[in-house]
Amino acid sequence: MRHTGADHAALQTASFQKVRGTDGMAKQVVEVDRVVIRFAGDSGDGMQLTGDRFTSEAAWMGNDLLTLPDFPAEIRAPAGTLPGVSSFQLAFADHDITTPGDQPNVLVAMNPAALKANIADLPRGSDLIVNTDEFTKRNVEKVGYHESPLDDDSLEAYRLHPIALTSMTVEALKEFDVTKKEAERAKNMFALGLLLWLYHRPTEGTIEFLEKKFASKPEIMKANVAAFQAGWSYGETTEEFSVQYEVKPAAMQPGTYRNITGNLALAYGLITASHQSGLRLFLGSYPITPASDILHELSKHKRFGVMTFQAEDEIAGIGAALGASYGGSLAVTTTSGPGIALKSETIGLAVSLELPLIVVDVQRGGPSTGLPTKTEQSDLLQAMFGRNGESPVPIVAPQSPADCFDATVEAARIAVTYRTPVFLLSDGYLANGSEPWCLPEIDSLPVIDPDFATKPNHQAEDGSEEFWAYQRDPQTLARPWAIPGTAGLEHRIGGLEKADGSGNISYDPENHDHMVRLRQAKVDAIADTIPDIEVDDPGGDARILMFGWGSTYGPIGAACQIVRRSGVKVAQAHLRHLNPFPRNLGEVLASYERVVVPEMNLGQLNMLLRSKFLIDTYGYNQVRGLPFKSSELVDVIREISEQMEESS
């Protein structure tokens, strides 16, 4: 989709007009500035697909949006149980938004388990659409209800819409050559059609999608299209819904946009870095949630010179990647926290060899197997220190799904320029969430120069020329990158300590001390080529700084905007480079009376800041497997502001 950048007229939260449905009934259309929808059901009910299709239609309409998929770790959890509930939440708006919403405005619950797992998040007065066919005595009792909540007064606080989604879908498909089970599975398309009608979304994109998805099964395709259209028609004709809602397009900068997930943006960033560096991209990886989609996506792009290797285990994956780096490729390995533990020895080897390597860690709940499908920020200290010996590694963290692209290109720039492994710390929320992404112009992207060694660089005592593998660039302290087989550039590599310059094996104590300090100085020197940290402090006189990294960017930003509207002065800053820190970070932190660091861990960045700058920063921490809600950060800011006012 393209945006012209033209300003849209400000909308009232509730602006009314009337249209007529196909039955002649007057249908009221209410303009709203933002909507949050949550689809919830069994993991086999197609909630992720339903949410993804609604997201695509919202993106096509030009809304700004953010999504929060949430699904069970089990491949097939027991049907109708709380552990088996899968949900997809999306917020779409006529203005810039930074979170998928704290609470839904409408909840679609496909069964009692979905209702029970999500009803606590639904505000009073919100729309609740329930598939009544699934509220059998057995299903109700399975999740702990003594009686059906549809039959008591427990849902009276909501605008309840009891709809027989399953049986209506089966009825709509009775003329098609599909089994009853196949017809029942199309109920998510019925629900999607109804919701697209309710929120005034187009239908053409979804019909085209279904025609392509089921092209090899024409009868299934026709049935799904019919179920989808039946849901739309139900909205048009039923008296259950007398109001439609409309969200106008958001004002965006000019450009070509597409909806993108964090993992997809990361994959595109790797391909782009390959193009900008002129290096062939090699991915050595073992599938692990939530990083596997990067492997799946890159495997589709062989025409761009991408080579993917699905290894037998995590150690083989990174070993192959490091070998590819030695051979002159842009090498990547992707994993999550448990895989980092297995890869740590080879990461240390890459530090010793001083070769470029991008290590992607899509963080998830831990420890051990932990919460495979939930999000967390608990691998920061592992990335910083999780190797034997003094083994410094740069760390870069994206802040949003679309930002995964830029952060990946930056990680590649650092890896190639400084000849070092680089950690790219994404997380499950960024990986699976999506938002509009403006495709960049190629000319705006950094050029990444591998600057391969092509000739000897040292004169021996006898006057002959030879190649020293650890003779360093005076600015970056990077060693030369020599492709194996280049005549005259034969050299030795390995995990044993190297002699400065020549790269020969050395056990000399003074040389080891010197090399340890050189490797640290090389990482420290990266700070010379990263921008100073910027602070969002509208009045320039805030006393509180909300300081974050990674995916906390959206909730922190939303919370700051909310409290500013009520007169609370608060600043916000966000880190992309976690090692090394930007040069001006200590000065920025020292200029605020109270620095609050929200993290989805028990205070890992907070620990690093306090030890590095000797500043009394304050952590706000939760490890629930879910992103922060902006409302809880609003409460934190207001409480701190009141405490500071009382003490001053």
Side-chain angles (χ1 to χ4, degrees), residues 109-395:
M110 302 298 281
N111 60 22
L115 177 66
K116 188 165 189 177
N118 292 278
I119 191 64
D121 291 336
L122 191 67
R124 297 172 64 88
S126 299
D127 286 298
L128 173 59
I129 299 174
V130 175
N131 180 16
T132 57
D133 289 320
E134 295 297 320
F135 279 72
T136 63
K137 186 175 186 295
R138 182 173 181 271
N139 287 347
V140 165
E141 292 177 348
K142 188 184 296 186
V143 296
Y145 284 123
H146 297 298
E147 62 177 311
S148 173
L150 303 182
D151 298 330
D152 57 27
D153 59 358
S154 61
L155 302 178
E156 64 179 5
Y158 311 102
R159 292 199 295 264
L160 178 63
H161 305 283
I163 303 173
L165 291 174
T166 305
S167 55
M168 291 177 69
T169 303
V170 172
E171 177 65 21
L173 303 185
K174 63 182 181 181
E175 303 300 327
F176 292 86
D177 185 20
V178 295
T179 66
K180 182 181 179 183
K181 184 176 181 180
E182 289 170 336
E184 290 176 346
R185 291 183 64 183
K187 63 181 178 291
N188 65 323
M189 288 297 104
F190 188 103
L192 176 61
L194 171 60
L195 267 292
L196 288 179
W197 172 85
L198 187 61
Y199 288 98
H200 232 246
R201 305 287 96 183
T203 61
E204 294 81 4
T206 296
I207 293 174
E208 182 180 349
F209 167 82
L210 292 172
E211 290 173 345
K212 290 181 179 178
K213 179 177 177 64
F214 298 110
S216 62
K217 300 177 180 179
E219 201 64 21
I220 297 293
M221 178 268 290
K222 293 176 184 177
N224 275 274
V225 170
F228 173 69
Q229 293 173 328
W232 176 277
S233 299
Y234 177 77
E236 280 276 273
T237 58
T238 184
E239 296 183 9
E240 185 66 41
F241 298 97
S242 59
V243 175
Q244 282 181 286
Y245 300 92
E246 185 173 15
V247 181
K248 294 292 187 181
M252 295 186 178
Q253 294 297 319
T256 301
Y257 286 79
R258 62 157 296 169
N259 189 48
I260 199 166
T261 66
N263 273 349
L264 184 57
L266 199 154
Y268 286 177
L270 290 172
I271 297 171
T272 301
S274 171
H275 177 273
Q276 293 299 99
S277 63
L279 300 174
R280 184 170 185 175
L281 179 62
F282 179 91
L283 172 67
S285 181
Y286 180 76
I288 183 172
T289 302
S292 299
D293 284 343
I294 303 169
L295 170 62
H296 299 159
E297 182 61 33
L298 288 178
S299 68
K300 303 174 184 177
H301 298 289
K302 295 180 177 64
R303 66 187 182 280
F304 293 113
V306 178
M307 180 179 289
T308 54
F309 169 56
Q310 181 174 320
E312 65 269 29
D313 56 42
E314 297 281 5
I315 298 172
I318 190 172
L322 186 56
S325 177
Y326 177 61
S329 294
L330 179 62
V332 186
T333 189
T334 55
T335 189
S336 188
I340 293 297
L342 294 167
K343 295 178 188 290
S344 61
E345 183 178 5
T346 308
I347 296 171
L349 177 59
V351 172
S352 177
L353 302 182
E354 300 191 46
L355 284 171
L357 178 66
I358 302 171
V359 181
V360 178
D361 179 2
V362 185
Q363 300 166 94
R364 71 189 204 187
S368 186
T369 308
L371 303 173
T373 61
K374 309 301 180 182
T375 194
E376 210 161 278
Q377 288 182 302
S378 297
D379 295 350
L380 175 56
L381 294 183
Q382 183 183 30
M384 282 288 292
F385 305 120
R387 294 162 298 283
N388 64 295
E390 294 290 342
S391 188
V393 173
I395 303 172

Side-chain angles (χ1 to χ4, degrees), residues 366-567:
S368 186
T369 308
L371 303 173
T373 61
K374 309 301 180 182
T375 194
E376 210 161 278
Q377 288 182 302
S378 297
D379 295 350
L380 175 56
L381 294 183
Q382 183 183 30
M384 282 288 292
F385 305 120
R387 294 162 298 283
N388 64 295
E390 294 290 342
S391 188
V393 173
I395 303 172
V396 178
Q399 65 187 27
S400 70
D403 188 53
C404 287
F405 175 87
D406 293 318
T408 302
V409 174
E410 171 66 355
R413 180 194 71 82
I414 292 172
V416 171
T417 303
Y418 291 89
R419 315 287 198 253
T420 179
V422 177
F423 264 98
L424 184 60
L425 286 185
S426 180
D427 63 42
Y429 167 46
L430 297 182
N432 297 314
S434 64
E435 66 177 342
W437 173 55
C438 183
L439 276 65
E441 298 293 335
I442 293 295
D443 293 342
S444 69
L445 299 172
V447 175
I448 302 172
D449 185 6
D451 191 24
F452 289 123
T454 57
K455 59 185 179 180
N457 58 5
H458 180 74
Q459 188 172 14
E461 292 181 1
D462 63 2
S464 63
E465 291 187 331
E466 57 187 16
F467 178 65
W468 276 24
Y470 283 79
Q471 186 163 286
R472 300 179 183 279
D473 181 282
Q475 287 188 320
T476 64
L477 298 179
R479 78 169 185 88
W481 192 4
I483 303 300
T486 305
L489 303 189
E490 296 83 5
H491 60 286
R492 179 183 294 107
I493 66 169
L496 293 173
E497 184 62 282
K498 318 297 187 300
D500 183 26
S502 69
N504 294 328
I505 294 173
S506 173
Y507 297 104
D508 179 69
E510 296 303 321
N511 176 77
H512 177 58
D513 183 271
H514 178 65
M515 292 295 284
V516 166
R517 295 178 188 276
L518 266 179
R519 288 187 287 263
Q520 182 64 58
K522 183 177 70 170
V523 172
D524 292 341
I526 295 169
D528 294 333
T529 61
I530 65 177
D532 284 347
I533 192 161
E534 297 182 357
V535 180
D536 176 20
D537 187 355
D541 57 350
R543 300 165 63 191
I544 303 170
L545 174 66
M546 296 294 288
F547 190 74
W549 69 278
S551 63
T552 59
Y553 173 80
I556 292 174
C560 289
Q561 292 177 15
I562 292 170
V563 298
R564 285 169 185 164
R565 288 197 290 267
S566 63

